[in-house]
Amino acid sequence: STSAEIIAFLLTISGWVLVSSTLPTDYWKVSTIDGTVITTATFWANLWKTCVTDSTGVSNCKDFPSMLALDGYIQACRGLMISAVCLGFFGAVFGLVGMKCTKVGGSDQTKAKIACLAGLIFILSGLCSMTSCSLYANRITSEFFDPSFVAQKYELGAALFIGWAGASLCIIGGIIFCFSIGENSNSARRGYAYNGATSVMSSRTKVHNSVPDKTPPKHFDKNAYV
């Protein structure tokens, strides 16, 4: 159980770091214009800005002007990613407290409940990140395969794959954390031994042996030995 909790903690922390790095990553979606020899321009965008990079490596970016004027899917992705990062932070704190190898958190049963809570938080964090990346990718693919869409078409960026990988690690580690409460309860049941009957019999034997025999000795007459 201790080794499983350590593995779960490493998985969830790695997933949380990947999810956190996805939020400011530039390439959520990317598109290129190729010339005869070199790429003349590269268009890319994330949750905060849209940019273009020419063949000389010079980038010109434009931040989204207004949060209220944004498309609904971008606002939803922003909220989900920020929620995933915040939930991952609290999950890391609870996971560190609930692990058996730490000295805080109370008894083993209390620490198991805290570890299970950390697992649920990490699972929720992974689901938020997974939903955000999937929603953004669905918008890109729907525009790419729509024949009536005449604007600039984009492809999936590297940030989406990083976000999916981090979300998967958070979910897997959170599931292992949730299973730790069952392992702790089973080990507690196996460690309990019932010795009630033995103790009662031994106590009765001790009491019987400690009480002196006060019965008077029997006297037999001489005819009894004949």
Side-chain angles (χ1 to χ4, degrees):
S1 180
T2 303
S3 59
E5 287 178 351
I6 294 174
I7 294 173
F9 186 75
L10 293 177
L11 288 176
T12 51
I13 291 298
S14 301
W16 177 58
V17 170
L18 290 177
V19 171
S20 300
S21 63
T22 302
L23 190 59
T25 302
D26 294 330
Y27 296 97
W28 279 65
K29 60 181 181 180
V30 61
S31 179
T32 58
I33 298 177
D34 298 328
T36 57
V37 180
I38 60 175
T39 301
T40 58
T42 301
F43 297 88
W44 49 274
N46 57 11
L47 298 178
W48 315 102
K49 59 186 177 181
T50 179
C51 302
V52 59
T53 303
D54 58 13
S55 59
T56 61
V58 178
S59 298
N60 294 319
C61 297
K62 179 183 179 181
D63 295 333
F64 294 134
S66 175
M67 184 180 68
L68 299 178
L70 285 176
D71 294 333
Y73 78 99
I74 297 181
Q75 295 182 5
C77 291
R78 280 184 179 182
L80 289 171
M81 291 302 298
I82 294 173
S83 299
V85 173
C86 295
L87 288 171
F89 172 77
F90 289 108
V93 173
F94 284 114
L96 189 62
V97 173
M99 294 176 64
K100 282 185 175 182
C101 57
T102 58
K103 301 298 183 182
V104 293
S107 61
D108 289 341
Q109 293 182 354
T110 304
K111 291 172 73 69
K113 293 179 181 179
I114 296 175
C116 182
L117 177 61
L120 293 176
I121 294 175
F122 273 120
I123 291 173
L124 186 60
S125 175
L127 290 177
C128 289
S129 178
M130 186 76 70
T131 304
S132 176
C133 295
S134 300
L135 181 63
Y136 200 92
N138 179 66
R139 182 60 179 262
I140 295 173
T141 53
S142 61
E143 291 178 353
F144 187 85
F145 293 106
D146 188 5
S148 61
F149 186 76
V150 296
Q152 182 71 32
K153 294 185 178 182
Y154 291 88
E155 296 182 2
L156 303 179
L160 297 177
F161 298 97
I162 297 174
W164 281 325
S168 301
L169 291 177
C170 288
I171 293 174
I172 294 172
I175 292 173
I176 297 175
F177 264 130
C178 290
F179 281 138
S180 65
I181 187 172
E183 293 177 359
N184 288 330
S185 62
N186 291 332
S187 62
R189 291 177 181 177
R190 288 193 298 267
Y192 175 77
Y194 177 73
N195 295 323
T198 305
S199 60
V200 171
M201 293 298 295
S202 60
S203 62
R204 289 181 178 178
T205 305
K206 292 179 180 179
V207 172
H208 179 73
N209 294 331
S210 61
V211 176
D213 190 6
K214 296 183 179 180
T215 57
K218 297 181 179 180
H219 299 281
F220 302 95
D221 56 0
K222 60 181 181 179
N223 296 326
Y225 299 98
V226 177

